[in-house]
């Protein structure tokens, strides 16, 4: 059994303080309203983001970012993100969403009898990414695994800014000049794995899972503080702004941050920003 088979057979599961595991189905789309995030200029900015569906990185690219580091405890996330990026590079808007519909409804990358997407995308994938999807295809066709155990397709593509034709074309042009480096680790281990400093950090809704423990929350935010440049920003997402205490209230007293938020008027969700002011 090679390493890809072991990975796809989910032999790498581990326990964490958060409910996330390292071999869970990875989101194809974000579950956040990406329109709540500011359209700030990220040209020449250093960006760190959770990998997840890859949509935070794609949103950052639309805002001008060219050098992005991403991290995730889920070992599938980088492969799902890389697959989607390869599809955007390969296909125009209509062809991309036509194939996405197939993936969501059929649960596989064999688009039809004549077209194998893994082979079509080979030139846009690294060898590691290509071998992962080739192994997934072989195991799935032989009924060893289920596609939906690897890819979660149940979320909302229309929450992405590249869902419209204009932004999709812009993103497709910009992807040719972008570097995304994927890392496999949990946010609580970030200080042990990152040596860079960043202007923007996107943590999605991860911090929410540490709010119940002052000790763990303090450890995580101090790690983030240690890799953030002056005037840098930590962007987070809160699905329950009526329920959770403000994140700034739990920040260690020795950290000097400005807190701001943008709420979704239609539901109890918000984007919050912690900006380092010293």
């Amino acid at each position: 059994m090679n390493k890809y088979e072991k990975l796809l057979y989910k032999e790498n599961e581990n326990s964490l303080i958060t409910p996330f595991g390292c071999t869970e189905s990875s989101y194809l789309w974000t579950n956040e309203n990406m329109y709540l995030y500011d359209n700030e200029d990220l040209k020449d900015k250093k960006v760190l983001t959770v990998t997840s569906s890859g949509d935070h990185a794609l949103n950052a690219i639309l805002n001008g970012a060219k050098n992005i580091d991403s991290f995730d405890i889920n070992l599938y996330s980088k492969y799902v993100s890389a697959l989607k990026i390869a599809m955007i590079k390969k296909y125009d808007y209509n062809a991309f969403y036509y194939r996405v519909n197939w993936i969501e409804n059929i649960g596989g990358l064999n688009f039809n009898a004549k077209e194998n997407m893994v082979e079509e995308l080979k030139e846009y994938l690294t060898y590691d990414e290509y071998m992962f999807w080739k192994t997934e295809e072989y195991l799935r066709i032989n009924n060893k695994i289920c596609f939906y155990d690897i890819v979660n397709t149940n979320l909302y593509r229309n929450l992405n800014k590249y869902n419209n034709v204009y932004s999709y074309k812009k993103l497709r042009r910009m992807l040719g000049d972008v570097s995304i480096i994927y890392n496999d680790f949990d946010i609580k281990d970030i200080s042990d794995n990152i040596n860079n400093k960043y202007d923007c950090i996107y943590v999605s809704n991860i911090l929410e899972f540490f709010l119940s423990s002052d000790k763990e929350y303090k450890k995580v935010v101090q790690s983030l503080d240690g890799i953030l440049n002056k005037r840098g920003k930590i962007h987070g997402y809160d699905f329950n702004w009526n329920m959770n205490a403000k994140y700034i209230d739990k920040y260690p007293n020795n950290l000097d941050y400005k807190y701001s938020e943008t709420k979704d008027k239609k539901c109890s969700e918000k984007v919050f920003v912690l900006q380092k002011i010293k």
Side-chain angles (χ1 to χ4, degrees), residues 9 12 63 109 116 146 178 188 208 210 214 218 235 245:
Y9 279 132
N12 297 273
N63 288 334
L109 302 178
N116 181 293
C146 175
V178 169
K188 66 185 179 65
E208 173 183 328
F210 293 91
D214 289 344
K218 181 177 180 179
H235 299 259

Side-chain angles (χ1 to χ4, degrees), residues 17-155:
I17 188 172
T18 64
F20 306 113
C22 64
T23 51
E24 294 182 349
S25 59
S26 181
Y27 295 140
L28 183 62
W29 310 107
T30 181
N31 61 345
E32 302 172 20
N33 183 353
M34 300 301 284
Y35 289 94
L36 290 179
Y37 288 91
D38 292 337
N39 289 320
E40 59 183 307
D41 185 4
L42 296 179
K43 183 180 179 181
D44 299 325
K45 299 290 181 66
K46 187 67 176 174
V47 175
L48 176 69
T49 178
V50 61
T51 307
S52 190
S53 64
D55 286 331
H56 275 291
L58 293 172
N59 187 63
I61 292 167
L62 278 172
N63 288 334
K66 291 187 176 181
N67 295 292
I68 300 171
D69 291 340
S70 74
F71 68 94
D72 209 300
I73 188 63
N74 189 339
L75 300 175
Y76 295 157
S77 293
K78 63 183 178 184
Y79 295 113
V80 173
S81 174
L83 177 73
K84 188 162 63 173
I85 289 173
M87 290 178 67
I88 295 172
K89 289 180 177 179
K90 174 70 176 179
Y91 304 119
D92 64 23
Y93 180 85
N94 290 326
F96 173 80
Y97 281 106
Y98 191 38
R99 285 159 180 79
V100 162
N101 287 334
W102 177 275
I103 290 172
E104 291 180 334
N105 295 319
I106 303 301
L109 302 178
N110 301 89
F111 182 60
N112 53 42
K114 297 181 179 180
E115 179 182 328
N116 181 293
M117 273 190 273
V118 178
E119 293 301 326
E120 280 211 338
L121 299 173
K122 184 176 181 179
E123 65 179 301
Y124 301 105
L125 298 169
T126 66
Y127 177 78
D128 177 57
E129 294 158 358
Y130 171 75
M131 287 304 300
F132 175 88
W133 288 112
K134 283 294 290 183
T135 306
E136 184 278 333
E137 179 185 45
Y138 172 80
L139 295 177
R140 175 176 44 81
I141 290 174
N142 287 279
N143 298 315
K144 302 291 186 181
I145 61 172
C146 175
F147 181 80
Y148 297 118
D149 288 336
I150 312 301
V151 184
N152 184 333
T153 62
N154 294 324
L155 297 175

